[in-house]
Amino acid sequence: MRKKNFAVILSGCGHQDGAEIHEATLTLWAIHKNGADFQCYAPDIKQHHVLNHITGQEMSEKRNVLIESARIARGKIAALATFAPDSADGLVIPGGFGAAKNLSSYAFDGAQCTVNPDVTTAIKAMHAAGKPIGALCIAPVILAKVLGNVTLTIGQDQGTADNLAAMGARHQPTMQGEIAIDWERKIVSTPCYMLNSRVDQIGEGADNLIKAMLEMMV
């Protein structure tokens, strides 16, 4: 039997300006742990900005989202523009501020945000094909913006939950390691660092998310 394959969209490297490294890595771990495989993707675009992860201060340098994401993927990554929906059984987007700064403008524009065209295309294609989509941490806001009428979780943050509602989605409160499942629309989400979480709780949430997505694959 062919292994199921997940497309994983990364948004850089580092939670303040890219993909959250624990969430991304533990998502990849959960995929392999559950007998599936993955291919990482990222948009080939300039990173919004670069932050010093010790001080939180902006640095005077420019970086590329695809090149930075390759650090997590150990170089085995493709430009998101090349993604073909037929190549994957499911799509996963780890969180980190890169999801809200590079994959979308949510960090700056809230519910009025825009989403990167390649990200939008990938989400819409997978959704139209009836394939499951998973989102971690802040990444569910992207699904809310692109798909609208879906059930999602970002944990317990009321302000973000209100923004989800403004984009047409429904929020399901969750705690560490828990997931929200929209069985009808094949959407799974988990709060991760939207809550005060430990690394093992991030792993638990990623594992639960991947298991639920595998159940949706027929």
Side-chain angles (χ1 to χ4, degrees), residues 28-39:
L28 303 183
W29 165 80
I31 291 170
H32 275 170
K33 174 179 177 286
N34 288 286
D37 213 337
F38 59 79
Q39 170 63 50

Side-chain angles (χ1 to χ4, degrees), residues 173-195:
T174 50
M175 296 303 293
Q176 290 89 344
E178 295 180 346
I179 58 175
I181 305 176
D182 187 328
W183 287 105
E184 181 182 353
R185 296 164 186 83
K186 294 187 177 181
I187 303 294
V188 189
S189 49
T190 189
C192 294
Y193 284 114
M194 290 297 291
L195 299 170

Side-chain angles (χ1 to χ4, degrees), residues 127-194:
H127 187 63
K131 296 179 179 181
I133 302 173
L136 294 78
C137 195
I138 193 62
V141 300
I142 296 173
L143 301 188
K145 188 64 179 183
V146 174
L147 300 177
N149 184 26
V150 292
T151 298
L152 300 160
T153 188
I154 46 74
Q156 300 284 329
D157 183 75
Q158 190 58 51
T160 309
D162 290 344
N163 281 332
L164 289 178
M167 291 186 280
R170 294 170 302 283
H171 181 249
Q172 179 180 318
T174 50
M175 296 303 293
Q176 290 89 344
E178 295 180 346
I179 58 175
I181 305 176
D182 187 328
W183 287 105
E184 181 182 353
R185 296 164 186 83
K186 294 187 177 181
I187 303 294
V188 189
S189 49
T190 189
C192 294
Y193 284 114
M194 290 297 291

Side-chain angles (χ1 to χ4, degrees), residues 8 10 20-34 38 72 92 94 136 190 192-193 197-211:
V8 181
L10 300 176
E20 210 298 314
I21 297 172
H22 299 158
E23 293 172 11
T25 302
L26 288 167
T27 294
L28 303 183
W29 165 80
I31 291 170
H32 275 170
K33 174 179 177 286
N34 288 286
F38 59 79
I72 296 174
V92 187
L136 294 78
T190 189
C192 294
Y193 284 114
S197 302
R198 306 186 308 261
V199 173
D200 64 313
Q201 293 169 327
I202 302 303
E204 182 182 6
D207 193 28
N208 288 335
L209 179 140
I210 294 301
K211 285 177 178 175

